[in-house]
Amino acid sequence: MSKYLATEQDGIELLYRGDSIYDIAFDSIEQYNKFSTELELESITDKSIISKDFNIPQHYKELDVETYIRNKVPHSGDSDTSVNARVEQELAMYKERGLYPILQLLIYIIDTLRKNNLVWGVGRGSSVSSYLLYLIGVHKVDSYKYRLDIKEFLK
């Protein structure tokens, strides 16, 4: 079962057989917690302990996301304060959700696309409301300029 996400039926079978669920990848934390309660195991309350160990070069895993993003902010005089406030707001939201490893992965992907002269889309869906993703280059929609609310993306 380690090669795919366990379904609720898989969880029921594990409970029935008395097997461990520690190394099983469930569809969601809520699903895991449902079965961990039945087995009297510790539930997951801290989402930051979930593995986000991506197969990317080590220097991307060690990349200081905050410094990288802050260095990408364009400096245009008067609006710097509000742009910086938006960046800090988003950084705090990503950090609170434990998403810095995802940002490191995206930085690696975008760098790889650029290095190999590959084209990717201009952006779609709620991701365009993230100014950090714009700064990284995931999409081409300046969500600060168009006043798109980050809460549309990080719900």
Side-chain angles (χ1 to χ4, degrees):
M1 268 192 259
S2 63
K3 298 211 186 268
Y4 66 93
L5 295 176
T7 64
E8 185 169 352
Q9 185 60 40
D10 294 329
I12 291 168
E13 288 177 24
L14 289 169
L15 282 174
Y16 179 74
R17 291 193 313 246
D19 290 341
S20 171
I21 63 170
Y22 277 119
D23 296 324
I24 305 300
F26 279 91
D27 226 4
S28 68
I29 291 172
E30 291 75 23
Q31 196 175 59
Y32 172 87
N33 285 342
K34 176 181 175 181
F35 293 105
S36 68
T37 302
E38 292 286 326
L39 293 171
E40 298 178 354
L41 300 172
E42 188 174 335
S43 297
I44 297 175
T45 55
D46 181 6
K47 292 182 182 180
S48 69
I49 65 171
I50 299 170
S51 175
K52 294 183 182 99
D53 189 21
F54 301 111
N55 187 16
I56 61 176
Q58 190 63 33
H59 68 276
Y60 285 98
K61 291 179 182 182
E62 296 170 357
L63 180 76
D64 181 348
V65 171
E66 292 177 6
T67 301
Y68 180 88
I69 295 294
R70 288 178 184 131
N71 287 335
K72 291 283 188 182
V73 177
H75 299 288
S76 59
D78 297 338
S79 64
D80 283 357
T81 306
S82 56
V83 171
N84 288 334
R86 170 70 181 252
V87 167
E88 295 306 320
Q89 173 196 18
E90 286 195 33
L91 281 170
M93 293 174 85
Y94 277 90
K95 187 173 194 171
E96 173 185 307
R97 289 165 175 78
L99 296 175
Y100 276 20
I102 300 291
L103 293 176
Q104 292 165 325
L105 173 65
L106 288 171
I107 292 166
Y108 166 68
I109 291 170
I110 297 303
D111 284 354
T112 302
L113 291 171
R114 285 185 178 131
K115 180 176 136 189
N116 292 290
N117 295 318
L118 297 172
V119 178
W120 62 99
V122 286
R124 61 184 291 270
S126 63
S127 70
V128 299
S129 64
S130 173
Y131 188 60
L132 295 190
L133 296 183
Y134 168 74
L135 292 174
I136 291 170
V138 172
H139 60 74
K140 304 291 184 214
V141 178
D142 185 338
S143 42
Y144 176 78
K145 177 181 178 181
Y146 296 108
R147 301 180 192 273
L148 302 177
D149 188 354
I150 182 59
K151 292 175 185 158
E152 291 302 312
F153 179 57
L154 294 174
K155 287 184 180 183

